[in-house]
Amino acid sequence: MAGPRRRGGGADEADIALAPYTRTEDRNKYLEFTDSLYSDVLQCVAGKGQPEIDPWGFLFPLDSVVWTALLASLVIAWLAMVVLGSNNNKKSVGRFTWITDLFLEHLRVALRQDLRLGQRRGSEMLLVLGWMVVTMMVMWSYSGNLVSLLAVRYISKPLQTLRNLLDSSVTLIMTRNDVFIDFLLTVKSGELQELGNLYKVGRVKYQLSKTFPDVMEKLVTKGHHVLFSPGLALDRLAANYFAKTGRCDFYKMRESFFPLTHCIVALKGNLLVRAMSYRVRAILESGLYDHWLMSSIPFSTVCRHAPSIITERESLAINNLWGMLVVLGAGLLLALVTFCLELYVNKRSGDGVS
């Protein structure tokens, strides 16, 4: 294996470079590449959000389809009771009042409040009991799921695709990777062109790769920056951060692009390339290279599939429950308005009689 040689003008050159190089069209004109040692892709890593409870989480125990079906069942049961209702009840309190009371009775059943059945016929009793069974099963499931949801913290991971990244306001940190930058300059449309134009609006910062550990710890963790680099390099950075802090504060975007192949390179026409390719294939097929590569990155898989939902036991704060308080306040306000309207109507009715 040839070492560095001094050629014209005193410039140090080498016949072979062992460090993996990315294969490109321009390099193919001057260099010979061995078989690929490994393949990689360019990815973005971002900081995870803080664990939080969704204030509207009390709506999540039931799917929107279930809520719709429950409301439809309420209306159907109410209308069926209106059809089956006895005439005596209609005449004693008035038709409109009787229909309204029937709806409120069915609503009280759904809300697990008391119910006065009064004098009902057999068909009416069966209808009410059927509605009670349905609502009891649904509400028991709702209560159990709600307790579980209140103990769950959701870790926000909003950046999953290139479109998410482009539509956000985060700043992209990357090296001056000539291969990728040259590729972006050739793209004339689509999301990759928009990615290449981010530097025009001040959303791209170029940093040396040796500064990436500090960038990860001081900028990416804050949530306003993302780091753009080959996936293996990002795995190494995240593993080193975990070894230092014991935390997984980062996540990779689900979407990746610009596949890369890494090879040993030599000058054009070097006869050793074929022999090296034979040995590279033998090492890859035996699994040794993958084993060496993963062994060189401790904790490389610890944070790769870190959960986005965690369970905690702690007191609930007001900012976790404000959604329910908004619903409660809206209900009380509506009740107050209804009460005032009733007083006004009764007063007008009394004045009219007098």
Side-chain angles (χ1 to χ4, degrees):
M1 185 177 298
R5 297 188 302 176
R6 187 174 299 277
R7 291 183 177 179
D12 286 338
E13 296 184 0
D15 292 323
I16 298 173
L18 295 179
Y21 279 83
T22 302
R23 184 192 295 268
T24 65
E25 183 178 356
D26 288 339
R27 289 175 179 175
N28 274 334
K29 299 176 182 178
Y30 310 102
L31 300 174
E32 293 278 356
F33 289 82
T34 66
D35 287 358
S36 176
L37 290 167
Y38 68 93
S39 298
D40 206 347
V41 290
L42 291 178
Q43 291 181 293
C44 286
V45 68
K48 293 180 180 178
Q50 295 298 319
E52 59 185 20
I53 294 179
D54 193 325
W56 298 101
F58 64 93
L59 298 174
F60 297 158
L62 300 180
D63 187 73
S64 58
V65 177
V66 178
W67 284 113
T68 304
L70 185 62
L71 180 60
S73 300
L74 170 62
V75 174
I76 292 172
W78 168 56
L79 293 177
M81 184 65 74
V82 171
V83 174
L84 296 175
S86 61
N87 293 324
N88 294 332
N89 292 332
K90 300 177 188 178
K91 295 177 181 179
S92 61
V93 295
R95 182 176 179 82
F96 178 78
T97 303
W98 174 74
I99 292 176
T100 305
D101 290 343
L102 280 180
F103 178 79
L104 294 177
E105 286 179 1
H106 285 74
L107 185 60
R108 281 197 293 267
V109 172
L111 298 177
R112 301 170 69 176
Q113 297 179 356
D114 64 314
L115 176 65
R116 296 179 181 180
L117 293 177
Q119 296 181 353
R120 304 280 187 183
R121 293 185 301 183
S123 58
E124 297 177 37
M125 292 290 293
L126 289 176
L127 184 59
V128 173
L129 291 176
W131 172 241
M132 291 179 65
V133 171
V134 171
T135 56
M136 286 170 59
M137 297 299 295
V138 172
M139 291 305 165
W140 283 342
S141 300
Y142 173 85
S143 300
N145 290 338
L146 179 61
V147 172
S148 300
L149 285 174
L150 290 177
V152 169
R153 301 293 188 272
Y154 293 90
I155 300 176
S156 176
K157 298 180 180 180
L159 302 178
Q160 294 295 340
T161 64
L162 182 56
R163 175 48 56 191
N164 296 149
L165 176 63
L166 295 172
D167 292 341
S168 68
S169 59
V170 298
T171 300
L172 187 66
I173 298 176
M174 58 188 297
T175 60
R176 290 189 178 275
N177 187 326
D178 295 335
V179 175
F180 185 63
I181 292 177
D182 291 343
F183 168 73
L184 287 181
L185 294 177
T186 64
V187 180
K188 302 301 182 183
S189 62
E191 294 178 345
L192 289 178
Q193 184 193 31
E194 295 181 48
L195 180 63
N197 292 335
L198 288 183
Y199 75 94
K200 297 180 180 179
V201 294
R203 287 183 54 193
V204 175
K205 289 183 179 180
Y206 295 108
Q207 298 274 0
L208 297 176
S209 57
K210 65 181 181 180
T211 66
F212 280 2
D214 289 336
V215 167
M216 291 271 285
E217 184 173 352
K218 297 178 181 178
L219 296 179
V220 178
T221 53
K222 306 301 182 183
H224 304 298
H225 295 75
V226 297
L227 185 60
F228 186 79
S229 186
L232 184 64
L234 295 178
D235 286 340
R236 186 184 299 275
L237 289 169
N240 292 338
Y241 181 85
F242 178 82
K244 179 180 178 181
T245 64
R247 301 194 309 270
C248 296
D249 293 335
F250 310 99
Y251 71 96
K252 281 184 180 180
M253 280 176 45
R254 185 171 59 247
E255 184 176 356
S256 58
F257 34 87
F258 201 73
L260 308 169
T261 57
H262 298 273
C263 314
I264 298 174
V265 298
L267 294 176
K268 200 74 172 179
N270 195 310
L271 299 179
L272 290 176
V273 172
R274 182 175 298 179
M276 288 189 295
S277 292
Y278 174 79
R279 287 164 174 78
V280 166
R281 286 196 299 271
I283 293 174
L284 290 175
E285 291 171 358
S286 67
L288 282 175
Y289 189 81
D290 289 339
H291 174 71
W292 293 336
L293 193 61
M294 292 298 101
S295 298
S296 67
I297 311 177
F299 311 111
S300 61
T301 60
V302 173
C303 298
R304 187 172 297 173
H305 302 292
S308 58
I309 298 176
I310 59 175
T311 302
E312 294 184 1
R313 293 184 178 181
E314 62 179 25
S315 301
L316 294 174
I318 190 68
N319 59 334
N320 303 137
L321 303 174
W322 65 263
M324 287 184 280
L325 297 178
V326 168
V327 174
L328 176 62
L332 293 175
L333 180 61
L334 181 61
L336 178 61
V337 172
T338 304
F339 177 69
C340 293
L341 287 175
E342 289 178 349
L343 292 178
Y344 177 74
V345 171
N346 289 334
K347 183 179 180 180
R348 291 293 298 271
S349 300
D351 293 342
V353 173
S354 60

